[in-house]
Amino acid sequence: MDPVPPATNDGRAVAARRVVRGKPLTARRVIKWISLVLVGLLLLIAMAAFWAWTQRYSLIERQVITYLDSQGIEADLRIDNATGTRADIRNIRLSHEGERFLTLDRLEAEYQWRDLLDGRVERLVMTGLVARITVDERGNIIDGWRPPSSGGDGFALPPRGVVVDGGMVRLTTPYGVIPFDGDATLADMENFRIDGTLGETRLERDGASAVLSGPVELIREAGDFRVQAPALKLSAIHPLAQLSTTTAQIGATYSDGEMSGAARLQGGQIIAASGITAELSTLTLDGRRSETGRLSGSAIMEGGRLALDAGLAADVERISGSGSLSENGVLTASVTPSLRRARVTDATRARDLARTLSLADALSA
């Protein structure tokens, strides 16, 4: 039996004691034991937090991959760095049903953390983009990987835009495949600039076809759209005429419902179904389509040669012409030719013409 605790001057016990498994347990030991347990728990939490911090990118990667998988997209990526305002993601690979449609060497994103939770970012910089896109006649993306529409007002670029440094896009349209590589800066859908090279492209529609390749610049500013092609290789086939490979310098603008453009062709040959062949030196074309649908244009051919299937030919000094097509389908046109060295190229026709001009048959009768 335990001895009676010593009494203080006021007759109260200094501490109460009891035996637990043969060892005395005081309030002090209880607090110490609880403290040790809590410290151990905090240590485990700290170790778990440290592990989670060191593995945070892997955890985020898995979350992103899981989300994309729920959208039917197989993904592979590596987060190189991420903070509350910036992220640097490398080696992005996206596929749909086993077919890869996008690769990206590097994606740099700038954002505000709270906006990011709602899927909004401030700016995107893409390096080494390779993408495959399929569109319909209206330009809508119809690939299976495209997420379903949310019913909003359309796609909005980040407030500070998107930059593409070294991109390669393969665009499949109802008229042909368009391969393009280059750079782009997009402030928004109304203001952007795309510079690059058009790979060999063959487009076909309604019995007509064209093959073209070369450097291209697309610019849109405040709704006005411009296309510049300083040295485009071009050939075309149409039921009315055929154009062999020529070098074209093209510029076109669309503004306020009106379209205008100019082209300068050097070299090549035009073979018309009417039996006229034009060997080009320089051909300058200018055209305009008004908001009401009226078409007007002009053409100037300088140098080169004209030939007719009838066996006639002439060298061209200058041929100028202009015309218009009204909204009601009324066509007006005028042509002013300046030719030299007109000649008969068919030997039989040349002999017949010589006999006619010399009156040989009449004189010998």
Side-chain angles (χ1 to χ4, degrees), residues 63-86:
Q63 287 296 105
V64 172
I65 291 172
T66 300
Y67 170 76
L68 291 175
D69 185 67
S70 70
Q71 303 295 313
I73 297 174
E74 305 106 46
D76 184 27
L77 55 92
R78 175 174 62 84
I79 298 177
D80 192 66
N81 185 34
T83 66
T85 57
R86 298 174 62 92

Side-chain angles (χ1 to χ4, degrees), residues 110-125:
E110 299 178 15
Y111 48 81
Q112 297 298 322
W113 178 252
R114 292 183 179 180
D115 293 338
L116 184 62
L117 297 177
D118 294 327
R120 298 192 301 270
V121 297
E122 292 287 326
R123 186 171 184 261
L124 292 175
V125 178

